[in-house]
Amino acid sequence: MSKKAIEKASTPDPKQNQILASLPAKDYERLLADLELVELPLGWTMSESGDHINFLHFPTSGIISLIYALENGSSRETALVGDEGMVGISIFMGGESMPSSTEVQSAGQAYRVSRKVMQREFSSGGQLQHVALLFTQALICQTSQTAVCNQHHSLDQQMCRWLLMSMDRLHGNELVVTQQLIGKLLGVRRESVTKTLGQLEKDGLIVRTRGHITVVDRPKLEQRVCECYGVVKNEYARLLSPRKSSK
């Protein structure tokens, strides 16, 4: 296979992102020329808290975490985004910046558009504006439910929720992640992560290898998780159910 063919084969279809896939053909074709493919390497900090956001990203693979950090150095994930959504909503919400940072939790790729292009599309009042606002509502639901979960549910339940939400966005059963990163995202000590994952493995729900977690019994994981997972999943399905673009 030629180098050009290999590059073409590895280039994701923008419509692997569900928001881009939902656009009518006319809107999609107009936006296509402005889409720029970028890599999302593991651990990349896309923006810090308070940064002026210049690009809106539409992931086609991987996971991006929205993380809130405190002055004492502790942090916690408030939401995660995969190919169902977009990152950089302050561009069209009018706030210019966000109080959270965005970091790549699982490596992947995304298409991005500039602030100018997104504001142009959003102001036209078409389908992109509509679905962007629906996604923002779904993201608010996830953020709110995550806050409730962190306050009222056990670490075991939080871990199950986080694993299921991550697997949903990766469309598989394997996650490349360190226990140190999980501790940062869930706002707990690494030792607590090790203990919790160890119990899930003992109970036959997951298998761990160095830097990898594989879910081997998803039904049992879904039985074990708190209601927060279902609440968020149902709200995303209600607001962002797959819509085929026009031919």
Side-chain angles (χ1 to χ4, degrees):
M1 185 181 290
S2 68
K3 180 178 179 181
K4 186 175 183 180
I6 293 174
E7 289 177 349
K8 184 176 181 180
S10 64
T11 300
D13 184 345
K15 290 186 179 181
Q16 288 177 227
N17 177 273
Q18 295 175 36
I19 291 180
L20 294 178
S22 74
L23 299 180
K26 181 180 178 180
D27 294 350
Y28 177 77
E29 291 299 327
R30 183 178 63 250
L31 189 62
L32 190 58
D34 295 307
L35 293 176
E36 178 188 2
L37 180 63
V38 295
E39 296 294 324
L40 301 175
L42 178 65
W44 177 35
T45 299
M46 300 173 66
S47 64
E48 298 278 6
S49 171
D51 280 356
H52 185 81
I53 307 300
N54 293 313
F55 295 96
L56 189 134
H57 291 77
F58 299 93
T60 57
S61 58
I63 302 175
I64 299 166
S65 295
L66 278 59
I67 300 174
Y68 199 98
L70 299 177
E71 291 182 354
N72 63 6
S74 61
S75 62
R76 197 147 199 169
E77 181 184 70
T78 59
L80 46 81
V81 180
D83 62 7
E84 84 290 350
M86 58 178 72
V87 176
I89 63 172
S90 62
I91 285 178
F92 57 83
M93 294 300 289
E96 303 297 328
S97 65
M98 295 287 284
S100 58
S101 62
T102 53
E103 298 183 18
V104 178
Q105 176 204 126
S106 293
Q109 294 174 303
Y111 284 92
R112 71 179 187 181
V113 293
S114 68
R115 166 184 288 271
K116 181 179 179 180
V117 170
M118 185 59 189
Q119 289 179 336
R120 178 199 73 198
E121 292 296 317
F122 193 83
S123 64
S124 70
Q127 176 67 10
L128 183 54
Q129 181 199 72
H130 177 66
V131 73
L133 291 175
L134 289 177
F135 170 74
T136 300
Q137 183 176 340
L139 191 65
I140 291 172
C141 170
Q142 184 189 164
T143 302
S144 302
Q145 199 68 39
T146 297
V148 171
C149 188
N150 292 342
Q151 182 68 29
H152 294 286
H153 294 140
S154 67
L155 180 56
D156 183 277
Q157 291 173 312
Q158 293 177 48
M159 185 71 73
C160 292
R161 170 184 58 79
W162 184 82
L163 284 171
L164 287 168
M165 291 181 71
S166 295
M167 297 301 173
D168 286 347
R169 284 154 180 81
L170 294 175
H171 308 289
N173 66 341
E174 184 177 353
L175 183 63
V176 178
V177 65
T178 65
Q179 294 183 25
Q180 182 177 356
L181 177 57
I182 296 175
K184 175 184 177 180
L185 297 174
L186 296 184
V188 297
R189 298 170 61 223
R190 179 178 177 179
E191 292 78 7
S192 298
V193 172
T194 301
K195 180 179 179 181
T196 303
L197 290 176
Q199 188 61 53
L200 291 176
E201 186 169 36
K202 181 180 179 181
D203 294 342
L205 279 69
I206 66 169
V207 170
R208 291 179 297 167
T209 55
R210 187 174 181 83
H212 290 74
I213 298 174
T214 302
V215 173
V216 294
D217 196 332
R218 180 170 178 129
K220 285 187 178 179
L221 197 65
E222 292 178 344
Q223 292 174 8
R224 190 158 173 159
V225 73
C226 56
E227 69 267 27
C228 297
Y229 170 68
V231 168
V232 174
K233 184 174 183 177
N234 290 339
E235 188 69 354
Y236 270 69
R238 181 181 75 86
L239 294 169
L240 300 169
S241 56
R243 299 175 178 84
K244 292 184 179 180
S245 58
S246 302
K247 297 289 186 180

